[in-house]
Amino acid sequence: MRRIADLYFALLRVSIALLLAAMVILVFTNVILRYALNSGLTVSEEMSRLAFVWLIFLGAAVALREHAHIGIDSMIRALPRGLAKACVLLGYLLMLLACALLLQGAWAQSVLTWGAITPAAGISMAWFMIPAVIFSVTALLHLGGEMLAILTGRLDVSNIVLVQESEDLPPPTTSPVPPLPAAHGFGR
C-alpha cells in the first residue's frame, strides 16, 4: 500500500511540473505573439488559469503528505503525551471534516457546472472544480491513514513531525552558491 501511495504522489509531482511548464509556455507564447505579431492565443488565459487551479490543489496534496503546510505545534509539544495525542486526533478529525465538506461542495459544483463552458476554450467549467475533488479524496485517505496509525500506536505523536519547519532542515553539505572571487582592485 505504501508503494502505491509513493507512486501516486510521484505522479502528482510530475503532473505539477508539467502543469507549471504548460503555464510558462502558454503565457510566454502569448506574450511573444502579442508583441511581435500583434495577435495572440485566445485560449491562453483560460488554459493557464485552469493549469494554475490544478497546480494549487495537487501541490496542496503533496504538501499535506510531506507536512509542509503552515502550522504551529509548540502547544502540542508542551502538553503531556496523552493530552497531546487527544489534541492531535481532534485536529485530524477537524481536518477530515473540512475535507469532507470540501468534497461535498466541489462535487456538487462540478455536477452543477458540467454543462457550462468557458468562453474561449469551450471546455466545461467543471474542470475547475475537479482538482478540489481529487484533493479532497487524497486528503481524506491520507489523513484517515495517519489518524488510524496514531490510534493504533504505529505513529507516536511525540515522535512524529507534524509541521516541517525550514529551520529544522539540515544544512546543505556543499554551498549551492560558489564563493566570490577575490577582489582585484575593486572598490579601492
Side-chain angles (χ1 to χ4, degrees):
M1 193 65 165
R2 178 87 172 152
R3 183 173 161 84
I4 293 171
D6 289 342
L7 288 172
Y8 175 72
F9 282 98
L11 176 67
L12 290 184
R13 284 187 192 90
V14 169
S15 300
I16 290 168
L18 292 174
L19 287 167
L20 188 59
M23 287 172 53
V24 168
I25 290 168
L26 279 170
V27 172
F28 184 71
T29 303
N30 201 30
V31 167
I32 296 298
L33 288 174
R34 283 192 182 178
Y35 286 105
L37 303 174
N38 203 20
S39 69
L41 300 172
T42 56
V43 298
S44 174
E45 286 184 37
E46 280 181 8
M47 296 308 290
S48 60
R49 188 178 310 124
L50 179 63
F52 187 65
V53 170
W54 277 81
L55 182 128
I56 293 299
F57 279 105
L58 297 182
V62 171
L64 183 66
R65 183 177 195 227
E66 296 175 357
H67 296 276
H69 50 279
I70 296 173
I72 300 172
D73 59 352
S74 55
M75 183 183 94
I76 298 294
R77 292 178 191 216
L79 293 174
R81 185 174 176 200
L83 195 54
K85 184 175 182 177
C87 286
V88 168
L89 288 173
L90 176 64
Y92 272 80
L93 278 174
L94 291 173
M95 288 187 286
L96 286 169
L97 175 65
C99 289
L101 291 173
L102 179 63
L103 176 61
Q104 179 187 9
W107 181 260
Q109 195 68 21
S110 296
V111 170
L112 186 68
T113 60
W114 190 257
I117 59 170
T118 60
I123 60 171
S124 173
M125 291 293 291
W127 286 104
F128 285 91
M129 295 295 125
I130 292 173
V133 172
I134 293 171
F135 168 78
S136 300
V137 170
T138 302
L140 282 168
L141 290 173
H142 176 70
L143 292 170
E146 278 194 357
M147 187 174 175
L148 185 63
I150 292 170
L151 284 171
T152 58
R154 288 183 289 140
L155 277 179
D156 184 17
V157 294
S158 61
N159 293 332
I160 63 171
V161 177
L162 296 173
V163 180
Q164 180 91 18
E165 297 183 28
S166 60
E167 292 86 18
D168 293 341
L169 296 174
T173 55
T174 60
S175 176
V177 180
L180 293 173
H184 297 287
F186 293 110
R188 288 186 187 175

